[in-house]
Amino acid sequence: MDGIKSVVLASLMAAWSFAATAETFTHIELDKDRTSVQYAGPIKSITKALEGYRWLGQTKDMNGGVVFTPYINPHFGKNDTESGGAIMVTATFYLYDQPAKEALMVARQSEIPGFIEFYGYDSRELQLHIRMVGDGTFQAFSSADQYRKPEKLMTYKKVDEFNKSPYKSQLKSALEDGTFF
């Protein structure tokens, strides 16, 4: 009987320690028309930490990253314009070492506490909800709704250069594959 109690107690302790280390995220309601200016302090500290570096995010399906560069908003502080209250960055997304997409992004407070949201100026569907977790690492969700699924949390690390594509050497030119004669 003591053996069963020991096994049950050990199982409960293991489950409790696992539950204690699993991070849970919450959601807060914020004004959908909030601006960067209202939360400028935390936004500027994160954008300064991100800008100018290569950030590599790796999953089993993807090997690429992003580079954030500062964007000087000529309308900043002009309340009569759409982008007047916006802190902005340019994000260049990479697939391996090749640029895949460039987007002008607006920074604002995320509805996930502790995160900053970057959304596409031309397309609000393009989102990254970012928090710094050290000098060389940030974590991100690709939408505000993903806070319910901690397994969707992506980790990006600062690198000197992105990985080279292993598929590049397998591609043949049009002359080599017989497309042109």
Side-chain angles (χ1 to χ4, degrees):
M1 190 68 167
D2 287 331
I4 294 173
K5 287 181 185 178
S6 298
V7 169
V8 169
L9 182 60
S11 298
L12 287 174
M13 287 176 45
W16 180 79
S17 66
F18 176 74
T21 60
E23 189 169 5
T24 58
F25 299 96
T26 59
H27 185 266
I28 55 174
E29 289 297 320
L30 295 174
D31 179 10
K32 68 178 182 69
D33 295 323
R34 64 194 177 277
T35 64
S36 302
V37 174
Q38 296 166 303
Y39 306 95
I43 292 171
K44 285 185 179 182
S45 71
I46 289 181
T47 56
K48 291 294 179 203
L50 294 172
E51 290 174 342
Y53 299 105
R54 288 180 174 92
W55 297 95
L56 178 66
Q58 292 181 292
T59 66
K60 63 180 179 158
D61 301 323
M62 181 273 259
N63 187 335
V66 62
V67 174
F68 296 98
T69 53
Y71 177 81
I72 306 303
N73 181 355
H75 303 290
F76 189 75
K78 298 178 183 173
N79 294 334
D80 59 340
T81 63
E82 180 184 352
S83 64
I87 297 171
M88 302 167 96
V89 297
T90 301
T92 306
F93 296 93
Y94 286 79
L95 181 59
Y96 290 100
D97 60 340
Q98 297 299 311
K101 179 182 180 92
E102 185 173 280
L104 181 60
M105 301 189 85
V106 176
R108 66 180 184 175
Q109 182 64 41
S110 174
E111 293 180 317
I112 307 169
F115 286 73
I116 299 301
E117 175 184 358
F118 289 104
Y119 68 86
Y121 183 72
D122 295 324
S123 171
R124 288 196 178 214
E125 292 80 36
L126 177 60
Q127 297 178 25
L128 275 178
H129 297 260
I130 295 174
R131 74 172 177 182
M132 297 302 297
V133 289
D135 289 339
T137 305
F138 76 82
Q139 293 178 323
F141 285 110
S142 60
S143 78
D145 296 334
Q146 288 186 342
Y147 76 95
R148 294 182 189 115
K149 302 173 188 167
E151 69 274 6
K152 296 285 188 178
L153 187 65
M154 301 174 285
T155 300
Y156 289 78
K157 298 206 180 282
K158 191 186 304 184
V159 296
D160 291 328
E161 53 185 65
F162 293 125
N163 297 331
K164 304 278 186 221
S165 173
Y167 306 109
K168 195 177 219 178
S169 63
Q170 297 174 4
L171 297 176
K172 295 181 180 180
S173 72
L175 288 174
E176 291 172 334
D177 74 0
T179 304
F180 291 114
F181 302 104

